[in-house]
Amino acid sequence: MSTMSAVKPSAGPEPYVSHASLFETAKRYLTKTKSQELLLRSIILIFVYLLAFCIRLFSVLRYESVIHEFDPYFNYRSTINLVQDGFYEFWNWFDAESWHPLGRVVGGTVYPGLMFTAAILYKVSKFLTACIKLRDICVFTAPFFAGNTALIAYLFGKELKDMETGLVAAVLMAVVPGYISRSVAGSFDNEAVAIFALVTTFYLWVRAVNQGTIASAVLAAFAYLYMAASWGAYVFISNLIPLYVIIMFVSGRYSRRIYVAYTTFWAVGSLLAMQVRFIGFNHVTSNELLSFNGVFVGLQVWEALVFLRTKLGTKQFGQLLYLTAVAAGAVGAAGTAILVLSGKLNPWTGRFWTLLDPTYAKKFIPIVASVSEHQPTTWASYIFDLHVLVFAAPAGLYFCFKRPTDGTIFLTVFALTAIYFSGIMVRLMLVAAPAFVLLSAIAISSILQSASKELRAPAAAETKTSPVATRRGRGSTSNEENITTKKSTNLIILGLTFLAMWSYSSHSIWVTSEAYSSPSIVLISGWGPHRVVLDDFREAYYWLRHNTAPDAKVMSWWDYGYQITAMGNRTVIVDNNTWNNTHIATVGRAMASNETEAYKIMRQLDVDYALVIFGGLSGYSSDDINKFLWMVRIGGGVFPVIKESDYLANGDYTVSSRGTQTMLNSLMYKLSYYDFGNIMTEHGKGTGYDRVRNYEIGKKDIQLDHLYEAFTSEHWIVRIYRVKDLENRF
Amino acid sequence: MPRLSSLEELRPSPRLICVLVLVSYFFVTAGIAYDIINEPPAVGGQTDPVTGAVKPMTFMPYRLNGQFILEGLSGGFFYTLGGVGIILLDLSRDKNQSVLFRNVYLALGLAITILSYLVCMVFIRIKMPGYMR
C-alpha cells in the first residue's frame, strides 16, 4: 500500500510514482480509455491469431499430422533436401528420380520460397531446442502463416480506412473458407505462404503510396521478392500495380508520391525478383511483365516532360512534345515488332492465356484444361467459400466509390480483377478471398460505426438540444429527431450484423470441418464406431519402398508422381510438374494402347513397374478409369494414332459389354480390372460389378502377357504390376 | 495541362462506374464463365420414375462444381441484391434527403438484405441437401 492513493483521479494527469503496487498500476492504466482500447485490441488480435491457427487443425486432430494431396509431397521432399544437403545443393539440384530418363532441373524450375520458409522455421525451432520434426513443421506452416495473414489484414484495413476496419478485416480473414481451403494443416503448398506474401505486398504498396517515401517502397519491394519466390501468381501483382498507376493517372489522381513509390518498387523489386532462378531474366523480357516495365518507362517519360515544361517556354515545349510523341510512337512500334518477330519477347504461357480467353485451354492445351482446379466457377462456390462476404462486398465497393482515397482505389482495382479471375478458375477464389474480406470489412465497419455513433449521440444531443427545443417549439423537436434515426432501428441493424457474423463463423467452421479437412492421402468415412479408414495409398507406396529394387522405375499417371517419389522413394516417369507434354503423352499412349504396343513403349522408357489407381471395389471415384479420357486426349494430341472416338461407343464412354474393342483391350482396362471379374462386390449383382461406374464390366477374364500382378492394396485402390523381362531367345 | 482539363468532362461519374461494377459483379458471380465454357442447359430435367414425364430440375444437385444457366443467374442476382440492400441502408443515413425517402430506403434496405440472405440459404440447401448437418 502506498500513500499516493490519496491523489484524486479526476484532477488532471496522474503523477508517475515508481513504487506503486501492481494492483494500483493496473487500476490506473485500466481506467484510461486509451489503455482500455489497447487492451481490447490486443486481446482481439491474439484471439484472431489463435482462431486462425486452430480452425485449420481438423484433419490433424481427427487423423494424424500427415501431408495432404500431391504437390505438397514434392515440396516436402525438396525441403528435406534443403535441410539435409544445404543451400547450395538445393539451389543447384538436378533431380534424376523423376521424369526418367530426362530428369528435372529442380533448382531452376521451382519456387523456393516455401521450402526456405519451412527450413528456416525448422532451424529456428532447433536453435531454441524445441526440436520439432521437419514433417510437423511442414504440416503446420500453413496455419502459422494463416494467423500472420490475419494480422496483416488488420494492418491493411488500418491503412485503408481506420483501426476498426482493420479489426473487422482480421476477424473475417481468420475464418474465410476460400482461404482455409488451401491452407489447412497438412496442405504444404505454395499458396500457404503466397497469400501471406500477397496481402503483405499490397499493404506495403498502399503504405508506400500513402507515404511516398523511398524506404516504404523498398519494403514493399522486399515483400514482392517473397511473393515472387513463392508462387507463380506474382505476375498478378506485377500487372495489378501498373494497372493501378494507369487508372490513377487517367482519373486525375496522379501525384509525386506514386511516382516515387512505383519507380523504387520497379527498380528494387525487379532486381530482387530476378534473383530467383526460375524467374531470372524473364522479368524484363517476358510478355507477362510487359505492362510492369512499360509503365515504368511511361512514368519516366511523363516526369521528364513535366520537368522540361518547367524549363522551356510553351511554344518550344509544344514543338518538342510533338516531335517526341511521333518519335516515341515510331520507335515503340518498331521495337515491339522486331522483338516479337525475332522471338526475343517470350509469349504468355498457356495458364495465363486462359485467364483472358477462357475457352483457350479447352481448344489448345488439354493438360491445362484437365486439371480440376482450373475449371470455371459456379455460383454456389461463391456462397460456399465466402458466405455473407458475398453480400457485403458490393456494399464495400460502394463505400470505396463514395469516398475514394488512394488506398481504396487500389483496393477497388484489386477486387475487380480478382473477382473477375475467380469467375474463370476455381483455384483463384483463393486470391479473391482477401479482396472480398477487405471490401466486406469496409462495409461492415461503416455500418457498425454509423449505427453505434448514432446510438451514442442521442444521449449527448438530448441534453444539448432540449433547451433549444423548448425555445423553438414543437416543429424543431421533430426536426432534431429526424436527423438521427430512431434508437430501435440502430439496435436492429447492430443485431442483424451480429447475427450475420454468427452465421458466417458457424458456416466457416462447418465447411472447414466437412469439406476442406480431408487428407486426400487417407480416405476417411463414417463417424465414431463406424469409422472406416482406407490407407491404401500409403500401404502401396511403402510396399514399393521396401519390396522393389532401389533403381526400379515406376510408370503411373502424372497425378501420383510426387507421392511415389516422396513416399515410395522410386524413380517415376512423369509427375505433377507436367513440364514435358510429349513425355506425358507417351505415357498416355502406353496406357491407351493394347498390351503389346504398350510393352514396346514401356521397354523404351525402361519401366519396371506400372501403377494404376482403381476405385471399382471401394467406390473411390477419382480413379484412373475416370481419368482415362484425359489420357487419351493428351496422348492423341501428340500421337495421332490414338483417336478419342475409338474409345467411345456411340459417343458414350463406357467399360461395360457395350464398350469398344480398343477400350476393352487397352492396357489401362486390363491393369484396372485384372482378376476383378471373379469378385462379387455387391449383393444381388453379378461378379465384376464396378461400384463407381455402377455396371458390370465388359471383359471379365483378362490375360496379361507382358506384365504380372505384383501388388494390390487392401481395398484394391492401388494396383502395381511388374513388367516382365524380354523372353529368352532359345 | 490545358488539354487534360477537358478530360474532366469526358470522365464518367463515380455513380455510373459503381452501377457498371455492380452489373459486372452480377454476371461474374452468376458463373458466366462456366456457362460459356461448359454450355449447360438452362434447366435440367428429372424423369419421374412412375409416370415417365420429365420434370424440370432447376438446381444441379450434390455438385458444387456444376450448374444450370438459370440457377447461376438467380444465385448471382440475389448476391447483387443483397449488396444493393446494404447500399440502401447506407443511403438512408444521408441527411440531405427528405424523411420519406430515408424511411423508404431504410425499410427497403432491411427487407432486401434479409430476403437475399434467406433466399440464398434456401438455394444452397436445395442444391446441397447435406448442408449444415
Side-chain angles (χ1 to χ4, degrees):
Chain A
M1 301 304 284
S2 65
T3 53
M4 47 71 84
S5 49
V7 178
K8 293 189 182 48
S10 59
E14 299 246 341
Y16 174 70
V17 181
S18 62
H19 57 271
S21 75
L22 183 64
F23 179 69
E24 302 275 332
T25 319
K27 202 166 67 152
R28 189 179 75 215
Y29 277 115
L30 283 180
T31 45
K32 287 199 210 147
T33 338
K34 217 167 151 189
S35 320
Q36 283 171 342
E37 185 205 31
L38 180 65
L39 183 67
L40 199 59
R41 210 171 0 136
S42 318
I43 290 183
I44 290 180
L45 286 177
I46 291 176
F47 271 115
V48 158
Y49 197 101
L50 287 176
L51 177 67
F53 192 90
C54 294
I55 197 176
R56 291 163 162 85
L57 298 183
F58 273 102
S59 66
V60 172
L61 293 171
R62 278 182 189 154
Y63 188 63
E64 68 177 70
S65 142
V66 72
I67 297 191
H68 302 183
E69 298 265 324
F70 303 108
D71 282 1
Y73 274 99
F74 170 71
N75 298 330
Y76 178 48
R77 197 167 141 251
S78 309
T79 316
I80 292 179
N81 184 297
L82 173 62
V83 163
Q84 279 179 344
D85 296 340
F87 170 71
Y88 286 106
E89 282 301 320
F90 175 74
W91 201 245
N92 297 314
W93 188 22
F94 177 80
D95 185 18
E97 282 194 21
S98 56
W99 295 90
H100 184 81
L102 305 168
R104 178 187 169 187
V105 181
V106 175
T109 57
V110 81
Y111 286 108
L114 177 69
M115 293 76 163
F116 282 137
T117 311
I120 290 176
L121 286 176
Y122 175 72
K123 292 270 159 82
V124 163
S125 81
K126 227 167 84 160
F127 176 73
L128 297 173
T129 70
C131 292
I132 309 178
K133 259 169 64 173
L134 182 61
R135 191 202 64 197
D136 290 331
I137 295 265
C138 292
V139 165
F140 290 108
T141 300
F144 174 63
F145 272 89
N148 295 345
T149 311
L151 293 185
I152 295 285
Y154 162 70
L155 290 174
F156 199 178
K158 200 157 85 132
E159 186 73 31
L160 279 177
K161 205 149 175 263
D162 47 34
M163 194 246 306
E164 291 88 4
T165 313
L167 284 175
V168 177
V171 170
L172 293 178
M173 180 67 95
V175 289
V176 61
Y179 180 34
I180 290 184
S181 64
R182 304 286 300 197
S183 68
V184 281
S187 173
F188 184 55
D189 208 351
N190 289 334
E191 290 97 345
V193 297
I195 296 295
F196 168 73
L198 184 98
V199 182
T200 311
T201 312
F202 286 155
Y203 159 62
L204 289 173
W205 167 254
V206 171
R207 185 168 160 270
V209 167
N210 282 338
Q211 290 182 355
T213 62
I214 295 186
S216 48
V218 168
L219 207 57
F222 273 98
Y224 177 65
L225 164 69
Y226 191 34
M227 179 71 190
S230 304
W231 202 19
Y234 73 93
V235 290
F236 178 62
I237 298 188
S238 25
N239 282 307
L240 185 66
I241 291 188
L243 180 66
Y244 168 70
V245 169
I246 293 176
I247 288 184
M248 290 295 269
F249 196 81
V250 164
S251 63
R253 288 172 203 274
Y254 176 74
S255 65
R256 184 52 61 83
R257 291 175 285 122
I258 293 186
Y259 174 68
V260 170
Y262 188 76
T263 312
T264 320
F265 182 79
W266 182 92
V268 181
S270 294
L271 280 176
L272 287 175
M274 288 201 267
Q275 304 311 307
V276 179
R277 269 188 76 186
F278 196 12
I279 301 180
F281 279 109
N282 263 352
H283 212 270
V284 282
T285 57
S286 165
N287 264 350
E288 290 163 1
L289 285 139
L290 196 61
S291 60
F292 193 59
N293 303 317
V295 166
F296 172 74
V297 171
L299 270 187
Q300 305 313 312
V301 167
W302 174 258
E303 285 288 328
L305 287 176
V306 168
F307 175 71
L308 280 177
R309 189 166 82 110
T310 59
K311 294 291 179 193
L312 302 171
T314 325
K315 181 155 171 262
Q316 271 184 314
F317 181 68
Q319 288 171 337
L320 179 66
L321 196 60
Y322 181 70
L323 274 174
T324 338
V326 169
V331 166
T336 320
I338 292 178
L339 285 173
V340 167
L341 284 174
S342 68
K344 275 262 158 109
L345 270 184
N346 302 339
W348 284 65
T349 56
R351 270 193 314 174
F352 297 117
W353 257 128
T354 323
L355 289 176
L356 294 180
D357 173 18
T359 56
Y360 180 80
K362 190 165 94 157
K363 288 185 275 194
F364 298 112
I365 325 175
I367 277 198
V368 169
S370 73
V371 181
S372 63
E373 303 166 318
H374 292 178
Q375 302 311 314
T377 331
T378 58
W379 74 275
S381 302
Y382 283 98
I383 192 138
F384 201 70
D385 274 342
L386 298 163
H387 208 240
V388 288
L389 301 189
V390 118
F391 301 120
L397 281 170
Y398 160 78
F399 281 110
C400 286
F401 275 107
K402 191 165 134 174
R403 261 187 292 266
T405 66
D406 288 350
T408 54
I409 294 185
F410 179 77
L411 179 64
T412 316
V413 177
F414 169 40
L416 289 177
T417 47
I419 295 177
Y420 169 67
F421 289 140
S422 76
I424 304 221
M425 248 193 222
V426 158
R427 187 183 187 189
L428 295 180
M429 184 72 83
L430 174 69
V431 172
F436 273 98
V437 160
L438 288 162
L439 284 178
S440 316
I442 291 183
I444 293 176
S445 170
S446 305
I447 295 176
L448 288 177
Q449 274 183 333
S450 52
S452 49
K453 202 159 47 158
E454 290 195 357
L455 276 180
R456 278 199 297 256
E462 275 163 19
T463 54
K464 267 193 248 169
T465 58
S466 43
V468 180
T470 49
R471 244 196 312 138
R472 290 212 219 145
R474 279 209 40 95
S476 56
T477 43
S478 54
N479 247 349
E480 294 294 314
E481 272 174 24
N482 293 328
I483 288 184
T484 66
T485 42
K486 292 202 287 280
K487 184 171 170 189
S488 57
T489 321
N490 287 322
L491 282 177
I492 289 179
I493 291 181
L494 284 183
L496 282 179
T497 317
F498 172 71
L499 284 178
M501 293 293 101
W502 181 295
S503 83
Y504 170 68
S505 56
S506 56
H507 167 90
S508 302
I509 295 177
W510 181 86
V511 159
T512 314
S513 156
E514 294 300 313
Y516 290 142
S517 292
S518 83
S520 32
I521 189 86
V522 175
L523 307 168
I524 309 179
S525 61
W527 290 102
H530 311 288
R531 199 164 97 142
V532 173
V533 175
L534 300 175
D535 212 357
D536 286 41
F537 287 100
R538 298 198 297 174
E539 180 191 349
Y541 298 142
Y542 282 111
W543 182 90
L544 261 186
R545 194 188 190 109
H546 294 301
N547 291 295
T548 56
D551 59 350
K553 327 275 184 303
V554 181
M555 181 178 87
S556 71
W557 191 234
W558 60 260
D559 283 2
Y560 318 107
Y562 281 157
Q563 284 181 343
I564 297 176
T565 335
M567 278 190 273
N569 203 23
R570 293 288 173 267
T571 311
V572 289
I573 307 293
V574 287
D575 69 16
N576 306 55
N577 191 31
T578 64
W579 66 270
N580 192 328
N581 191 35
T582 314
H583 217 52
I584 297 183
T586 314
V587 170
R589 180 184 174 187
M591 293 292 192
S593 320
N594 60 35
E595 201 185 341
T596 323
E597 290 298 315
Y599 182 62
K600 286 190 207 147
I601 299 177
M602 287 199 282
R603 291 293 306 177
Q604 271 178 347
L605 289 174
D606 207 13
V607 173
D608 295 312
Y609 291 91
L611 187 148
V612 295
I613 304 290
F614 171 61
L617 185 76
S618 54
Y620 177 58
S621 57
S622 309
D623 64 355
D624 280 354
I625 291 283
N626 274 352
K627 293 181 192 167
F628 183 61
L629 268 186
W630 284 112
M631 298 186 202
V632 169
R633 283 181 195 135
I634 295 175
V638 177
F639 303 104
V641 145
I642 310 279
K643 290 188 266 290
E644 190 181 338
S645 50
D646 287 343
Y647 297 86
L648 302 173
N650 294 336
D652 262 345
Y653 174 63
T654 173
V655 292
S656 66
S657 44
R658 291 189 310 123
T660 60
Q661 279 307 304
T662 335
M663 180 74 224
L664 296 182
N665 280 328
S666 65
L667 185 70
M668 176 55 71
Y669 178 87
K670 284 189 172 179
L671 293 186
S672 294
Y673 291 114
Y674 180 72
D675 213 15
F676 189 62
N678 307 327
I679 306 261
M680 172 111 54
T681 54
E682 283 209 17
H683 295 306
K685 311 268 202 274
T687 56
Y689 181 79
D690 187 330
R691 290 173 77 187
V692 173
R693 267 59 63 174
N694 288 322
Y695 45 70
E696 287 180 29
I697 57 174
K699 202 155 79 156
K700 290 193 189 165
D701 57 340
I702 299 173
Q703 305 287 342
L704 285 175
D705 301 318
H706 302 289
L707 299 105
Y708 64 87
E709 185 182 3
F711 176 79
T712 298
S713 64
E714 183 185 343
H715 301 98
W716 289 47
I717 293 187
V718 186
R719 311 195 68 183
I720 306 180
Y721 295 82
R722 179 80 164 93
V723 176
K724 283 188 197 165
D725 211 345
L726 287 170
E727 292 201 357
N728 289 327
R729 308 295 170 97
F730 298 102
Chain B
M1 299 186 84
R3 260 183 304 155
L4 269 189
S5 62
S6 62
L7 265 178
E8 299 256 336
E9 287 116 46
L10 276 178
R11 230 172 261 149
S13 72
R15 197 163 288 194
L16 177 67
I17 305 249
C18 194
V19 167
L20 286 178
V21 158
L22 286 177
V23 167
S24 73
Y25 183 78
F26 162 63
F27 278 114
V28 169
T29 52
I32 205 93
Y34 181 90
D35 294 338
I36 293 178
I37 295 181
N38 293 36
E39 291 167 23
V43 283
Q46 196 179 42
T47 325
D48 192 86
V50 175
T51 60
V54 177
K55 288 190 301 183
M57 182 168 68
T58 38
F59 288 92
M60 200 186 276
Y62 301 114
R63 298 172 56 189
L64 268 192
N65 56 353
Q67 70 173 26
F68 300 121
I69 299 185
L70 272 188
E71 164 192 359
L73 287 175
S74 42
F77 173 70
F78 279 106
Y79 294 160
T80 323
L81 201 62
V84 165
I86 303 184
I87 295 177
L88 285 177
L89 278 180
D90 180 73
L91 280 178
S92 76
R93 295 191 186 280
D94 187 5
K95 299 200 196 310
N96 297 326
Q97 298 269 24
S98 66
V99 171
L100 176 67
F101 267 118
R102 288 181 58 187
N103 285 338
V104 163
Y105 283 164
L106 182 68
L108 203 59
L110 278 175
I112 284 182
T113 313
I114 299 178
L115 175 81
S116 314
Y117 175 74
L118 291 175
V119 166
C120 282
M121 285 297 111
V122 169
F123 281 175
I124 196 82
R125 262 173 243 269
I126 298 178
K127 191 164 171 79
M128 274 183 52
Y131 180 68
M132 288 296 243
R133 215 154 285 166

